[in-house]
Structure formats: C-alpha cells, structure tokens
Amino acid sequence: MKFILFSVALAAIGCTMPVSAALAQTGEQISAKFKSADKDSDGKLTLGEAKVGMPRVANNFTRIDRDKKGYVTESEIIAVMKR
C-alpha cells in the first residue's frame, strides 16, 4: 500500500523517474542524514541524536526501536520505511 501511495505522490509532484530510482535516491538521502546525525559515528542513533538530526525518526523512535535497545540503526529505519 505504501508503495502505491509513494508512486501516486511522485506522480503528483511531476516526478518522471522510475519508482525504483526514486526509492534508491530516498535511501541515499536517509543514509546521508543518518551519517550526519550519528555524532559519535557508532552506527546507532540515540533518541537525542535523532531529535537533533532526524526529527521524523525521533517522532517514531519507539516504533522503530522494536527491541527497546535505546538506539536505532540505519537498516531499522529503512525497514520501517518499506512497510
């Protein structure tokens, strides 16, 4: 369902690139933001780091951090995006 909504949103803004390319670009943007927000470069975002560098992740932190570890990884963020 999210894939369909994403496709419709891309069409609505006049995006002409294929959806797969748009998703790849989004993944690259997430990766760049994650690296920037991960101030101690440990591959994990705490809630504090997320609040500063990735507020959408911070707003959904408990949803992403399903194991209640106190941090989220880039792959966990992407996995939630794909649902």
Side-chain angles (χ1 to χ4, degrees):
M1 181 67 170
K2 285 187 180 182
F3 180 79
I4 294 168
L5 292 174
F6 186 72
S7 299
V8 170
L10 288 174
I13 61 171
C15 183
T16 58
M17 73 175 74
V19 172
S20 59
L23 286 172
Q25 185 177 27
T26 301
E28 291 169 6
Q29 291 169 342
I30 295 269
S31 185
K33 284 186 176 188
F34 186 93
K35 285 181 178 94
S36 176
D38 183 17
K39 295 300 181 191
D40 58 1
S41 300
D42 64 353
K44 306 170 187 172
L45 281 189
T46 62
L47 180 57
E49 288 174 321
K51 283 181 179 178
V52 173
M54 296 185 83
R56 288 166 131 184
V57 169
N59 291 340
N60 293 284
F61 198 84
T62 56
R63 182 174 164 231
I64 300 168
D65 182 20
R66 299 174 117 197
D67 299 332
K68 310 292 184 238
K69 304 174 302 292
Y71 63 85
V72 297
T73 63
E74 183 179 346
S75 61
E76 289 174 320
I77 295 167
I78 292 170
V80 168
M81 274 182 46
K82 289 182 179 179
R83 289 187 210 150

